[in-house]
């Protein structure tokens, strides 16, 4: 079993003992999503820590989108609940990179592709650059932010 999943289960037990309803329901939901990911596909398997982080990232993003939808619909209380759940899940994710760090990472990926190919990459090589940039970000920045930084670096 992955250590991150074990940590989630231990924290769920602690939340249950402390009667912390927000953390309890959030962690139960996250563990259910992880369990669903484990049995998806042809055969059931144990997820690695990176795969568990990916599921938690997806759940965090889903909560942010729900919070925005509730806020747009005039349901401030529900929006606040979704934001609070997202904050609980964010504790289990690596610290996110700021915009300057993402820009630097994109420039480094462009330089790396340039060194490999011998010419300055253009938009046609964006896939190669994105592959290197996403590997360097390793879950510490959303793909959309990385893509925007890569486009900016390729355009300059």
């Amino acid at each position: 079993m992955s250590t991150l999943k074990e940590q989630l289960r231990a924290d769920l037990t602690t939340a249950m003992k402390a009667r912390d309803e927000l953390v309890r329901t959030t962690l139960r939901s996250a563990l259910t999503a992880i369990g669903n990911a484990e049995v998806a596909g042809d055969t059931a398997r144990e997820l690695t820590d990176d795969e568990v982080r990916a599921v938690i990232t997806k759940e965090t993003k889903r909560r942010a989108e729900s919070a925005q939808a509730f806020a747009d619909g005039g349901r401030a209380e529900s929006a606040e609940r979704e934001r609070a759940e997202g904050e609980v899940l964010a504790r289990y994710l690596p610290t996110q990179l700021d915009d300057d760090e993402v820009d630097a990472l994109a420039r480094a990926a462009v330089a790396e592709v340039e060194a490999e190919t011998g010419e300055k990459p253009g938009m046609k090589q964006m896939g190669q650059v994105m592959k290197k940039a996403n590997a360097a970000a390793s879950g510490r920045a959303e793909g959309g932010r990385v893509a925007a930084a890569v486009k900016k670096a390729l355009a300059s």
Side-chain angles (χ1 to χ4, degrees):
M1 183 185 306
S2 73
T3 56
L4 184 55
K5 188 175 170 184
E6 290 171 4
Q7 180 66 45
L8 288 167
R9 286 198 171 136
D11 290 351
L12 173 60
T13 302
T14 303
M16 290 169 76
K17 288 179 182 176
R19 299 193 191 296
D20 187 341
E21 191 266 338
L22 173 70
V23 175
R24 185 185 76 227
T25 57
T26 303
L27 294 182
R28 276 188 177 158
S29 173
L31 285 166
T32 298
I34 292 166
N36 289 341
E38 288 177 334
V39 297
D42 294 337
T43 58
R45 63 187 183 83
E46 196 73 30
L47 296 181
T48 65
D49 274 348
D50 288 338
E51 292 169 323
V52 170
R53 265 189 216 89
V55 171
I56 293 172
T57 300
K58 184 176 168 184
E59 288 294 304
T60 304
K61 186 175 181 180
R62 186 179 65 79
R63 282 175 172 75
E65 291 169 354
S66 295
Q68 185 63 44
F70 282 133
D72 292 346
R75 297 180 58 194
E77 189 175 304
S78 296
E80 188 55 39
R81 169 73 183 207
E82 291 291 325
R83 282 188 205 99
E85 288 183 7
E87 289 171 11
V88 169
L89 292 175
R91 298 177 199 164
Y92 301 95
L93 297 173
T95 305
Q96 295 294 298
L97 299 174
D98 64 25
D99 290 339
D100 292 337
E101 291 171 320
V102 174
D103 288 342
L105 191 136
R107 286 191 303 274
V110 168
E112 195 174 329
V113 169
E114 185 174 354
E116 287 176 4
T117 61
E119 59 185 36
K120 183 167 175 22
M123 291 306 287
K124 288 184 178 182
Q125 290 82 21
M126 184 168 173
Q128 290 176 293
V129 177
M130 281 297 297
K131 185 175 182 180
K132 294 190 181 305
N134 280 328
S138 63
R140 297 177 296 152
E142 285 185 6
R145 288 179 57 214
V146 175
V150 167
K151 283 180 184 175
K152 185 172 132 186
L154 288 173
S156 61

